[in-house]
Amino acid sequence: MRVFPPIKLKPELLAALPEAYQDGILLVVKETPLSEEDLPAECPYPLEQVLDLGFYPGSG
């Protein structure tokens, strides 16, 4: 199932994705044995995949 935001929100979502990804990295580093060096510096997925509720990295 895909979640499609209204067209007018897409620029804001694209702008927010890098900051949200960095926040996620900080959480991963805090909650797991991984370090920042273990993770991609930038989100490796396009916004469309991030918003796709059926997408799971490494599946299919």
Side-chain angles (χ1 to χ4, degrees):
M1 175 179 185
R2 293 181 185 200
V3 176
F4 292 103
I7 299 293
K8 64 182 180 178
L9 287 180
K10 193 167 184 179
E12 286 83 2
L13 291 173
L14 284 170
L17 184 58
E19 184 177 348
Y21 182 75
Q22 291 305 314
D23 290 347
I25 285 184
L26 294 176
L27 185 61
V28 167
V29 168
K30 181 179 175 183
E31 302 277 330
T32 72
L34 297 173
S35 70
E36 285 190 49
E37 292 78 30
D38 296 322
L39 304 165
E42 295 179 2
C43 182
Y45 308 106
L47 182 61
E48 289 74 20
Q49 282 184 324
V50 171
L51 296 176
D52 183 347
L53 298 177
F55 172 71
Y56 186 79
S59 65

